[in-house]
Structures are given as C-alpha cells and as structure tokens.
Amino acid sequence: MRHWSRGRKTVRNFLLSILLVFLLYASQGFPPYTVEGMCRRVRNDYLLGELEPLYVQRDWRRYSGNQSVRYTTVAARSGETYVIFRYRDSLLGSRRDWRCPEPVFGEGAVCTKHEGAIYAAGPFGEAASAVAVVRAQKNPEPNGRMQSREFTLEGERLADQVFAFPYEVGGHYMEDEDVDPADLTLPELVDWWYREPVPSGDGTVYSWAEAELPCTVTLYGEAGEVLETFELSLTASDIRSWW
C-alpha cells in the first residue's frame, strides 16, 4: 500500500509538471516550434495567403554572461509576395523578441541584411548567378557637392529562389574625418554618412537617418546574359543592425 501511495504521488507530480509547462506555454501565446508553425503565425499576423518556406537558416549568438541564443531565419513566399523573417528559439517555442526586427515583405522580390550579407528572395530559379549593387549617398554639402558610392556584391546561392550577397565589414574608427570614403566598407560608410548628432546631446551622441539605400539585384544566365533586374532597397538602420 505504501508503494502504491508513493507511485500515485509520482504520477500526481508528473501531471502537475505537465500542467505547469502547459500553462507557461499558453502564457506565451502558444509560440510555434516548427518552421511551418512560424510561417502560419506570420501568415495570420499579416493576413497573407499560405506561406511556402524557401530557405531556413539556424544560427547561434552569444551575449554577455555567456548566454547563447539560437535564431531561425526563414525566407518564404506567398504567391508573388516574398517575406524574410526571424524567430528566437527556446524550450517554450519560437517567437520574435526585441532583438528581432519585423518581417520584411516585397512584391516580386525582397531583400534585407543578415549577419554580414544581404539576403534576397525572389523568382531566381533560372539564374546561374546574381550580382547586387548597393548605393550609398551622403547628404548634400553646403556647397551643393554630392558624394555617393556603389558597392558591387557577388551572390551566393542559398536555395532555388534565395541568394546571399556577402560584404566586407572592416573596422575603421569613424571619428577620423580624414578617412577616404573609398577605403570604407559598406557598414562603415553607412555609419559615417547617415549619422546625425542628437540635438539635445553634446555632439558625441548620434542618431541615424532612416534613409533608403537602393539595392539593384541583377540575374545572369549560364552564358552571362542578363535575365532580369530587380530594383529593391534597404535602409541605413538595416545595414547598421547586428541582424
């Protein structure tokens, strides 16, 4: 009888543990565990049609205190609409948090920055190669002089309809006013050209303009012929962001 009572307590404690986990899971809004579940959540949140995953990437990031977090990045398609989004994974499902920007959408094609590369998704299945050209432009100087620079990035195919365009990150210190813009990497130039002193600051605190950077993606065939060109765009904060 004593053994039976102990067994009943074990079962009771097990059931209570399951109930507690369920309540915690419910309190988070039933976050998804699978890529299909993530696509379903994005579809419902943004009133899209059925989302077809095109590419999935899972990577780890380490934060202070040796905290490691795994993220899942997904490129998907709903008809002619392409979307790239990211979720933070945990034992209680995957969800977006304050470190993850909103999904990016595009009709016909879409691009965003991710981990030192520009990711583009679109109807790229027929392309043998792809090149992205990103254009940064400094605000006009008092004398009317305009400065601009283009970065040409070779594509790496990640999936049938997804390319990545890696760029150099570098490490110039942007307080050096004598630096030549031609020597700067894309994020360094964006950091320098698009920052603005905060009016209430002491001149050492900056914000960054939400300026658009045109990003032209050109597809090429096996013989090097141009197949199609997509006029897309990024923002200065996209390039500066760690995502």
Side-chain angles (χ1 to χ4, degrees):
M1 190 67 168
R2 182 171 51 195
H3 292 292
W4 171 248
S5 179
R6 184 180 304 161
R8 292 178 60 187
K9 289 181 180 179
T10 300
V11 172
R12 182 198 62 188
N13 292 340
F14 177 72
L15 293 176
L16 287 175
S17 298
I18 292 178
L19 178 60
L20 177 59
V21 171
F22 175 80
L23 292 175
L24 287 173
Y25 181 62
S27 70
Q28 300 297 314
F30 299 100
Y33 279 98
T34 65
V35 171
E36 290 74 16
M38 297 175 200
C39 287
R40 186 164 54 249
R41 178 64 59 88
V42 172
R43 180 196 68 192
N44 294 338
D45 288 348
Y46 295 92
L47 303 179
L48 300 173
E50 196 68 29
L51 272 179
E52 172 194 2
L54 304 174
Y55 174 72
V56 177
Q57 178 175 313
R58 291 184 169 90
D59 54 343
W60 289 87
R61 289 198 65 88
R62 185 176 296 277
Y63 297 101
S64 58
N66 291 325
Q67 179 191 15
S68 294
V69 178
R70 193 181 80 162
Y71 289 93
T72 298
T73 302
V74 181
R77 175 184 179 182
S78 175
E80 298 301 314
T81 299
Y82 289 82
V83 56
I84 301 175
F85 59 89
R86 192 182 197 195
Y87 269 71
R88 173 177 174 168
D89 302 329
S90 72
L91 291 176
L92 292 177
S94 300
R95 64 186 185 279
R96 294 197 302 273
D97 65 4
W98 66 271
R99 297 185 183 94
C100 298
E102 292 294 311
V104 291
F105 301 90
E107 290 298 320
V110 69
C111 72
T112 189
K113 175 259 186 177
H114 175 60
E115 298 290 352
I118 292 169
Y119 282 40
F124 305 154
E126 299 299 319
S129 61
V131 172
V133 177
V134 181
R135 185 170 184 266
Q137 180 173 294
K138 187 178 181 181
N139 289 332
E141 298 178 4
N143 60 9
R145 179 170 175 253
M146 298 279 293
Q147 291 189 70
S148 65
R149 184 180 167 197
E150 291 185 344
F151 294 82
T152 301
L153 311 174
E154 296 291 332
E156 297 178 358
R157 184 181 290 280
L158 300 180
D160 184 51
Q161 300 184 66
V162 183
F163 275 92
F165 303 90
Y167 55 79
E168 186 183 0
V169 292
H172 278 85
Y173 184 54
M174 292 296 95
E175 292 301 327
D176 184 1
E177 297 297 334
D178 295 328
V179 68
D180 186 347
D183 295 332
L184 300 180
T185 64
L186 175 59
E188 289 170 346
L189 195 63
V190 168
D191 187 56
W192 193 26
W193 277 2
Y194 292 93
R195 69 180 182 182
E196 301 171 343
V198 175
S200 59
D202 59 1
T204 61
V205 180
Y206 297 92
S207 62
W208 278 263
E210 286 299 320
E212 285 196 355
L213 282 70
C215 178
T216 302
V217 174
T218 304
L219 307 181
Y220 296 90
E222 292 287 353
E225 74 279 16
V226 174
L227 299 180
E228 195 168 357
T229 297
F230 296 86
E231 299 295 337
L232 308 175
S233 67
L234 302 155
T235 66
S237 60
D238 287 335
I239 299 298
R240 291 194 67 256
S241 170
W242 61 264
W243 182 42

